Amino acid sequence: MRKRPLIVLSTVAAATLLLAGCSGSGAPQSSGTPEPTAASQCALDAQPGATSDAVVVEGEGADTKVTIPADAAFAGVERTVISEGDGEEIGVNDLVSVEYQIVDATNNQVLDSSARGDGDVLPVLLDTNQSSLFVAALECKPLGSRIALALPGNVLGEGQNNVVVYAEAVEKLPEVATGTPVDPTPGMPTVKLDDKGAPSVTIPDGDAPSETKVAVLKQGDGATVSSGDLVVVQYLGVKWSDGKEFDSSWSRDAVPAQFQTTGVVAGFQKALEGQKVGSQVLVVMPPADGYGASEGHELQNESLVFVVDILATTPVQAQQ
């Protein structure tokens, strides 16, 4: 995987686990931009087993109760479909809203859930680098399927308890900004979209701004991005100096990127925080809010321009 110049540091929500852990290998490096994987392929394709079959799920929505038998064996990673949905099949790299609970098998305590989300669901990008727990639970099953995924503690890390994930993918979410177009801001670069929503940028004549400038191109009406949120975006980055692209999710089969707002360069963080999901924003940042005078960096002393579609935002669960 080539280095993504956008990402300075990538940390993930407490609910995200790595498929490499499920297969017993070492954890790969986190990245805010996953390599594309065909949605028709199953990354793990976990099968039913005695433990996942024994999980009892009662009720619906916020009233769902998950009970794990005290004598459950947890012999391996197992997945049981409690009820089959009637929606389209989902797969790796899909962006979906999910109702879920993660339950400690030792005491049936809910460790994390989607209850903190609007309508008791949270957006999840089925990214094998960062959200592999949900990939293992939901991949290759129809929308609306109710799933019980049993995970032995030894696949989660040394000293971890056995857990069960109850999950249902409710709907697929848009992978381009769907907000209302806003009139262009004078003096900012010009942005054009192709028929798939991918942007191109024309840099105006003159010097780049000496401070970060943010313009809204489409105004969304979804949740507001807060500092530290885990966000899902499409983006294009070009240099002000020559207009050349240096990074883009669109150039990687339009697979969205996922990262915390505090894990990117300062100018990108300023562009995200305070904006609403569904918005498309244009940000121009001087080197001080990009990569500055970082010796040897490909973007050393460059003013940068990004077009960003904000697709989802999730508050990161506080560590216990």
Side-chain angles (χ1 to χ4, degrees):
M1 182 183 296
R2 70 180 179 87
K3 182 179 179 182
R4 309 298 188 209
L6 171 66
I7 303 303
V8 176
L9 173 67
S10 178
T11 54
V12 297
T16 58
L17 301 171
L18 297 170
L19 274 179
C22 295
S23 62
S25 61
Q29 294 295 314
S30 295
S31 169
T33 50
E35 293 290 350
T37 302
S40 61
Q41 298 176 349
C42 298
L44 183 64
D45 196 21
Q47 299 299 308
T51 297
S52 61
D53 284 349
V55 174
V56 176
V57 178
E58 301 172 293
E60 295 183 353
D63 296 324
T64 301
K65 180 180 179 182
V66 178
T67 304
I68 306 161
D71 60 353
F74 284 90
V77 177
E78 301 170 359
R79 177 176 66 165
T80 293
V81 178
I82 300 165
S83 61
E84 189 91 357
D86 58 5
E88 66 178 292
E89 185 175 291
I90 60 174
V92 173
N93 296 327
D94 280 343
L95 178 61
V96 292
S97 62
V98 180
E99 176 192 328
Y100 73 87
Q101 293 182 23
I102 301 175
V103 182
D104 189 330
T106 63
N107 54 17
N108 283 306
Q109 178 182 351
V110 177
L111 303 175
D112 184 29
S113 80
S114 59
R116 67 184 188 276
D118 186 23
D120 297 316
V121 298
L122 287 172
V124 175
L125 178 66
L126 298 182
D127 169 12
T128 56
N129 290 326
Q130 294 190 6
S131 302
S132 300
L133 179 156
F134 294 109
V135 173
L138 298 170
E139 64 169 347
C140 302
K141 298 298 179 184
L143 284 168
S145 298
R146 306 178 81 195
I147 306 292
L149 178 74
L151 293 171
N154 60 13
V155 306
L156 307 179
E158 185 176 354
Q160 298 298 309
N161 291 340
N162 301 329
V163 301
V164 164
V165 180
Y166 162 74
E168 176 187 349
V170 177
E171 65 175 336
K172 290 187 72 171
L173 300 175
E175 296 187 4
V176 296
T178 56
T180 303
V182 175
D183 290 338
T185 300
M188 293 288 276
T190 301
V191 177
K192 292 185 177 181
L193 306 179
D194 67 15
D195 57 0
K196 294 183 179 180
S200 58
V201 175
T202 301
I203 304 297
D205 294 334
D207 296 331
S210 59
E211 59 184 31
T212 294
K213 302 288 187 182
V214 180
V216 176
L217 304 179
K218 294 181 182 180
Q219 181 61 63
D221 60 3
T224 300
V225 179
S226 297
S227 181
D229 279 6
L230 188 70
V231 294
V232 179
V233 302
Q234 296 276 19
Y235 70 92
L236 165 69
V238 303
K239 295 183 289 184
W240 180 283
S241 60
D242 57 14
K244 290 184 178 180
E245 175 187 318
F246 61 87
D247 194 11
S248 173
S249 63
W250 294 99
S251 295
R252 295 186 291 277
D253 293 337
V255 175
Q258 177 175 248
F259 44 77
Q260 276 187 275
T261 66
T262 50
V264 293
V265 294
F268 206 114
Q269 182 177 357
K270 292 176 181 179
L272 292 171
E273 293 177 358
Q275 304 292 346
K276 291 183 177 294
V277 169
S279 297
Q280 183 182 70
V281 296
L282 171 67
V283 57
V284 180
M285 66 187 75
D289 277 352
Y291 294 91
S294 303
E295 189 64 35
H297 197 285
E298 62 181 298
L299 300 176
Q300 179 183 354
N301 295 323
E302 291 279 0
S303 293
L304 307 178
V305 180
F306 285 97
V307 181
V308 188
D309 288 23
I310 303 173
L311 308 178
T313 190
T314 304
V316 174
Q317 183 193 31
Q319 298 292 328
Q320 301 295 322

